[in-house]
Amino acid sequence: MTAGGRPRAQTIAPKFVTGSILRHILEMTGAGALGLVAIFVCDLANIYFLSLTGDQVTVAAVGYASSILFFSTSIGIGLSIAASSTVSPAIGEGLRPRARRRSTHALVITLLVSGAVAAVLWFLVPSMLTLMGAEGEAHHLAKLYLWILIPTMPILAFAMTCMAI
């Protein structure tokens, strides 16, 4: 504690600046892969449990929607990779103010880009589903499902970028 009663700031040693590069790559890749697999396991669980209802139209709708959601999730992953590759050199050089500034910029860019992509995608959902071959009730249900989920894309991309940073 300092004289003013505030706790002292603790210095945290950077984890990925010493040791085996291969170990660091495997750790970071493994963590990213685990997060990505978790996202797609949730989609698989949705499709599986919906298939138990016997309603093939709903299962088809979620299947169509999952293809489009994979695209939007991939954009978030790309933004998080770009952010980590921009911020990590500053951390490695011990330039914490630069790292904080780059982190802030990366998060703002992530929100702007993913928000713009989500807005465009939201309007293109009916056309994309038609191009994929969805029709009738499956088209309608997939469209409603995507119109609910697409606006959350910036939140997911933001969270992935925070994790990467």
Side-chain angles (χ1 to χ4, degrees), residues 2-122:
T2 61
R6 286 179 276 167
R8 286 196 176 142
Q10 294 179 341
T11 305
I12 300 172
K15 181 177 181 178
F16 295 112
V17 296
T18 60
S20 167
I21 292 174
L22 179 60
R23 190 183 109 247
H24 298 321
I25 290 171
L26 291 175
E27 273 186 51
M28 292 183 72
T29 304
L34 186 62
L36 185 59
V37 166
I39 290 170
F40 296 118
V41 165
C42 290
D43 284 341
L44 180 63
N46 279 339
I47 292 172
Y48 172 72
F49 285 111
L50 286 171
S51 72
L52 296 178
T53 66
D55 185 357
Q56 293 180 349
V57 174
T58 302
V59 175
V62 173
Y64 285 123
S66 293
S67 298
I68 295 172
L69 290 174
F70 176 79
F71 168 74
S72 65
T73 303
S74 298
I75 290 171
I77 292 166
L79 290 166
S80 69
I81 291 169
S84 66
S85 65
T86 303
V87 174
S88 57
I91 293 172
E93 294 171 11
L95 304 172
R96 295 184 75 79
R98 180 181 293 172
R100 279 193 289 274
R101 195 170 48 253
R102 287 182 179 177
S103 297
T104 301
H105 293 157
L107 290 170
V108 169
I109 289 169
T110 295
L111 284 174
L112 291 174
V113 170
S114 62
V117 169
V120 169
L121 197 57
W122 195 82

Side-chain angles (χ1 to χ4, degrees), residues 75-77 79-80 110 114 152-162:
I75 290 171
I77 292 166
L79 290 166
S80 69
T110 295
S114 62
T152 67
M153 180 185 158
I155 298 167
L156 178 62
F158 185 83
M160 285 192 280
T161 301
C162 285

